[in-house]
Amino acid sequence: HVLDKLRNRSKYVARSCKEIKERYNEQEDGLYFLTTANGLVYQTFCDMTTDGGGWTLVASVHENNMYGKCSVGDRWSSQQGNNADVPDGEGNWSNRNTFGSAESATSDDFKNPGYYDILAEDMSVWHVPNDFALETWKKAAILRYHTDSHFLPLYGGNLLQLFKQYPVRYNVGTCVNRGPAFAIVYDKGNSETVRNLYGPNPRAEFVPGFITFRPINNERAAMAICSGAKPVSGCNTEHYCIGGGGYFPENSGQCGDFPGFDWDRIDRVRGWSASKEVTEAAVLLFYR
Ligand code: G3P
Ligand code: CA
Ligand code: CA
Ligand code: CA
C-alpha cells in the first residue's frame, strides 16, 4: 500500500508541497518528490494539514553536541572552530549547499534544494525531540507555529534570499541592526511554552510570539533565527537564537548551532541556560 502510494507520487512534477496539494489534491502528511526549476528531483516531508496544508520541509537545525563548540556537526554555524578569520562560518544560510535527508531531519542537520528553489510566502517551524521518527513528528513536537503575514516575498521569497540581505556574519553590524521579526500563529503550544523553553535571564530580554531573523549580540556575533521570540531589551541573543556565523567573541563556548544554550549549565533552565527540551529538539523549517 505504501509503495503503491509512492509509485503514484513519484509521477508528480511540482516545485513545492503547496503545488502538490493544489495540482494533485494530496491531503496526507508524508514524503513527496519535488523538482527544482533546473529539474533536480529530491524528496522531502510535506505537512498537508496544518492551516490548510501545503507546507514544504526545507531544513532542520540539529545540535549534535552541545559541548562541541563550532565543531563537527555545527553546519548552521561553523565546523572550523571559533575564528574571527571565518566570519561567515559554513555560510549555509545563504548558499546552495545541501545535506542530510528528510527521514534524518531530527537526527542531524537537513537542507534540501527547496531552501533556495521555492518561492514562498510564509514559514512554519516545528521543534521536534531528537531522533523521533517522521510519522511521529507532528504529535511529538514541543512547539509548532506558522506565520500568516506573507512576509517572504518582501525578502526575495525564501531564506537564501533573506539571508543574502541579512548575512549571518560576525561583525556585520551591532545589536540594533538585527533583521526583521514577524508575528506567529501557534499550532501547538503558546507564548508560555516559548518562555519556558529558554532560561529566566533571556526571558527578560525577549517577547514571545515572533520569529526573528539575523539577531546580533553584544559582541557583534550574528545568529540566524530566534524561534518564537523577538529580542527587545537586551542583546544576549546567543542564549535563545540558533545558527550563527563563525565567530562569537564573548566566549568560545558560545559558538555552535545552538550557540550559548548551555551558558550556565547544560540541559537545565537556569540563568541564561535553555531547557533540556529545546536543547534536545531539532528545529524544522517549512515554507508555504
Ligand atoms: O550572555 C551572558 C553574559 O553576557 C553576561 O552574563 O549574567 O554574567 O552578566 P552575566
Ligand atoms: Ca555543537
Ligand atoms: Ca548541527
Ligand atoms: Ca552575552
Side-chain angles (χ1 to χ4, degrees), residues 174-221:
T174 68
C175 176
V176 299
N177 304 121
R178 76 156 165 78
F182 303 97
I184 57 175
V185 177
Y186 293 105
D187 297 306
K188 182 170 186 184
N190 52 40
S191 286
E192 198 51 32
T193 312
V194 171
R195 267 190 284 269
N196 291 330
L197 294 181
Y198 306 110
N201 296 2
R203 259 174 245 165
E205 282 198 0
F206 69 69
V207 289
F210 294 86
I211 181 169
T212 303
F213 297 97
R214 218 284 305 277
I216 295 176
N217 75 4
N218 285 321
E219 296 79 24
R220 294 176 167 252

Side-chain angles (χ1 to χ4, degrees), residues 34-78:
L34 299 180
T35 308
T36 69
N38 286 336
L40 182 78
V41 177
Y42 66 100
Q43 212 174 11
T44 194
F45 177 81
C46 296
D47 168 7
M48 295 304 209
T49 46
T50 301
D51 187 49
W55 298 97
T56 309
L57 176 67
V58 299
S60 79
V61 183
H62 172 267
E63 178 53 72
N64 62 312
N65 179 8
M66 218 36 245
Y67 297 101
K69 299 300 178 179
C70 280
S71 64
V72 174
D74 284 320
R75 292 181 192 81
W76 293 107
S77 46
S78 181

Side-chain angles (χ1 to χ4, degrees), residues 217-219 235-239 250 254:
N217 75 4
N218 285 321
E219 296 79 24
C235 303
N236 295 288
T237 54
E238 65 272 19
H239 307 299
E250 184 174 17
Q254 293 182 343

